[in-house]
Amino acid sequence: MSEPAKKAEEGQEPKRFTIDSNQALIWTLQKAEQKRQEILGTKRMMEQEVEFYQSKIKNLQAELQNFNDIILQYAQSQMEADPKWEFKDSPFGRIVKSKPSTSLQVADKQALINHYKGTEFVKHVEEDKLQWGKLKKTLSSPDDEHVVNADGEPIDDVKVVKKPAKIELKHKNAKGNWTTKED
C-alpha cells in the first residue's frame, strides 16, 4: 500500500503537493490538462458506446418487427380458416384475438355540460367540470350508433366509437405477465 493511502486509511490527510516555482506551476497545469483530456476522451468513448448500442437496439427492433410480421401473417391465415383459432401453447408467446368492442366518447363537452348542468354529473368548481366517468355509467347505446341516457332520452353530444377485433401477439414481460407491450 502506498504511503498516502496508508495515511488516508489511518485518518491522516496525505501530504498535498504544493507549487513552489514556475516550473512546478507548469508541471501542475500540464497534469491538470492531461486529466481534462482524459475526461473528454472517456466522455467521447461513452458517447460512442451509446451510439453503438442504440444502433444495435435499432437493428434488433427491426428484426423483432420482422418476426412479429411473419407470426401475425401466419395467425391471420389460421384465423381465416378457423375464426376461433388462438395459440397459447408456447412459453415464448401467445396469439389471441380481441373481441370487437364499442366505447362512448364525448363529441361536444360544453354541450354535454350544458345539457346536464345542475345534475350530479356536472361539478361546478371555478368552471363547470363534467364528471364523465360517472355520467358514462348511466349512458348506453342500444344500436351501437346512437346514445341514450337512463331515461331513454337521446344524447347527441356523445358518439359511439367502434373498435374492430384485432390479432394480438403477446409475450411474457420481466414480471412474468403476458403483455403486448415491448419492454
Side-chain angles (χ1 to χ4, degrees):
M1 190 179 300
S2 69
E3 191 63 35
K6 283 182 185 176
K7 288 182 179 179
E9 193 176 275
E10 295 169 0
Q12 297 176 351
E13 292 247 348
K15 186 174 179 185
R16 287 185 54 154
F17 172 77
T18 57
I19 299 172
D20 56 6
S21 67
N22 284 349
Q23 197 61 29
L25 175 61
I26 292 170
W27 182 86
T28 307
L29 289 170
Q30 179 184 7
K31 290 297 181 185
E33 182 59 26
Q34 287 174 348
K35 293 301 172 190
R36 262 193 286 289
Q37 292 303 319
E38 191 176 330
I39 290 169
L40 288 173
T42 302
K43 284 182 178 179
R44 271 190 237 109
M45 285 176 44
M46 288 171 55
E47 289 169 0
Q48 289 172 351
E49 281 186 41
V50 167
E51 288 173 15
F52 171 79
Y53 286 112
Q54 284 176 336
S55 172
K56 189 171 179 91
I57 288 170
K58 187 176 180 180
N59 291 340
L60 290 169
Q61 287 172 330
E63 290 178 31
L64 174 61
Q65 185 60 49
N66 184 44
F67 283 121
N68 287 346
D69 290 344
I70 293 168
I71 292 166
L72 292 174
Q73 184 179 7
Y74 174 78
Q76 183 69 41
S77 68
Q78 293 301 306
M79 286 182 185
E80 286 171 4
D82 177 9
K84 293 183 180 183
W85 182 86
E86 288 187 342
F87 184 80
K88 296 181 181 179
D89 299 337
S90 170
F92 305 110
R94 292 180 172 185
I95 300 172
V96 297
K97 185 175 181 181
S98 68
K99 295 179 180 172
S101 64
T102 59
S103 64
L104 303 180
Q105 190 177 52
V106 176
D108 185 348
K109 187 175 182 178
Q110 191 56 49
L112 205 54
I113 288 172
N114 293 341
H115 184 84
Y116 281 97
K117 197 170 196 158
T119 69
E120 65 179 303
F121 303 119
V122 176
K123 180 177 166 184
H124 182 74
V125 200
E126 289 180 23
E127 60 183 62
D128 292 332
K129 183 176 179 191
L130 183 64
Q131 301 289 307
W132 174 241
K134 203 173 184 181
L135 174 60
K136 186 166 70 169
K137 292 176 184 175
T138 67
L139 302 176
S140 63
S141 177
D143 59 1
D144 287 341
E145 287 186 26
H146 301 91
V147 179
V148 296
N149 64 13
D151 298 330
E153 179 184 342
I155 306 298
D156 296 328
D157 307 315
V158 178
K159 63 183 177 181
V160 176
V161 177
K162 296 180 182 180
K163 296 178 189 171
K166 65 180 181 181
I167 300 171
E168 294 179 327
L169 172 60
K170 295 188 174 192
H171 65 279
K172 283 192 177 181
N173 63 13
K175 294 180 180 177
N177 299 323
W178 290 101
T179 182
T180 56
K181 296 179 184 170
E182 295 299 331
D183 294 331

